[in-house]
């Protein structure tokens, strides 16, 4: 069976969730690239954060996979916890994604606000 036929057989619910499924896939790929085991809870939190940022992005219009790779890498490299990233302003994260060269200034901005 070809891919188009398989797609046509998907339920509407699955079709509506294709982006989320793809976000999960990116997170698992990133974890594999970092030789890291990642729990379902971590994957779910990273996916929800990535998806929320993707939906909120009205400035850069980044694709979901670029956002997800950045968020997953940031977490898996130990640059920020999920909780810290969830508290950050999404615009600060999007600015950091735009300058992807290990720019994690959004974390320090968030820490300054909390003080």
């Amino acid at each position: 069976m070809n891919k188009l036929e398989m797609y046509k057989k998907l339920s509407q619910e699955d079709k509506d969730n294709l982006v989320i499924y793809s976000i999960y896939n990116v997170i698992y790929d990133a974890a594999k690239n970092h030789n890291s085991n990642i729990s379902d809870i971590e994957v779910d939190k990273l996916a929800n954060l990535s998806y929320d940022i993707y939906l909120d992005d009205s400035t850069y219009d980044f694709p979901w996979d670029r956002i997800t790779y950045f968020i997953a890498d940031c977490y898996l490299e130990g640059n920020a916890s999920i909780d810290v990233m969830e508290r950050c302003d999404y615009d600060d994260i999007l600015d950091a994604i735009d300058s992807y060269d290990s720019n994690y200034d959004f974390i320090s901005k968030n820490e300054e606000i909390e003080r």
Side-chain angles (χ1 to χ4, degrees):
M1 181 180 330
N2 71 36
K3 303 291 186 245
L4 178 57
E5 291 303 316
M6 292 170 62
Y7 171 78
K8 289 178 181 179
K9 290 184 179 190
L10 289 175
S11 69
Q12 187 58 48
E13 181 180 3
D14 281 338
K15 288 177 183 176
D16 292 342
N17 288 309
L18 286 174
V19 171
I20 291 292
Y21 296 159
S22 297
I23 287 172
Y24 290 147
N25 191 54
V26 166
I27 294 167
Y28 282 118
D29 281 348
K32 182 179 175 184
N33 291 339
H34 283 85
N35 296 318
S36 177
N37 292 326
I38 189 165
S39 73
D40 289 350
I41 292 170
E42 292 167 309
V43 170
D44 198 44
K45 285 184 171 189
L46 291 169
N48 287 331
L49 176 62
S50 298
Y51 190 64
D52 288 347
I53 293 170
Y54 167 69
L55 293 177
D56 193 59
D57 177 13
S58 61
T59 304
Y60 293 102
D61 213 19
F62 288 137
W64 57 265
D65 57 336
R66 183 169 180 189
I67 294 168
T68 304
Y69 276 116
F70 181 86
I71 295 297
D73 280 347
C74 185
Y75 175 70
L76 293 165
E77 291 176 3
N79 293 308
S81 70
I82 297 170
D83 292 336
V84 166
M85 288 189 286
E86 288 174 332
R87 290 191 306 265
C88 288
D89 185 283
Y90 290 173
D91 288 333
D92 290 339
I93 294 174
L94 291 166
D95 289 343
I97 293 169
D98 188 47
S99 62
Y100 203 117
D101 53 296
S102 299
N103 178 359
Y104 298 109
D105 289 343
F106 71 93
I107 298 165
S108 58
K109 286 180 186 178
N110 184 65
E111 290 171 351
E112 289 173 13
I113 291 169
E114 288 182 357
R115 289 184 196 158

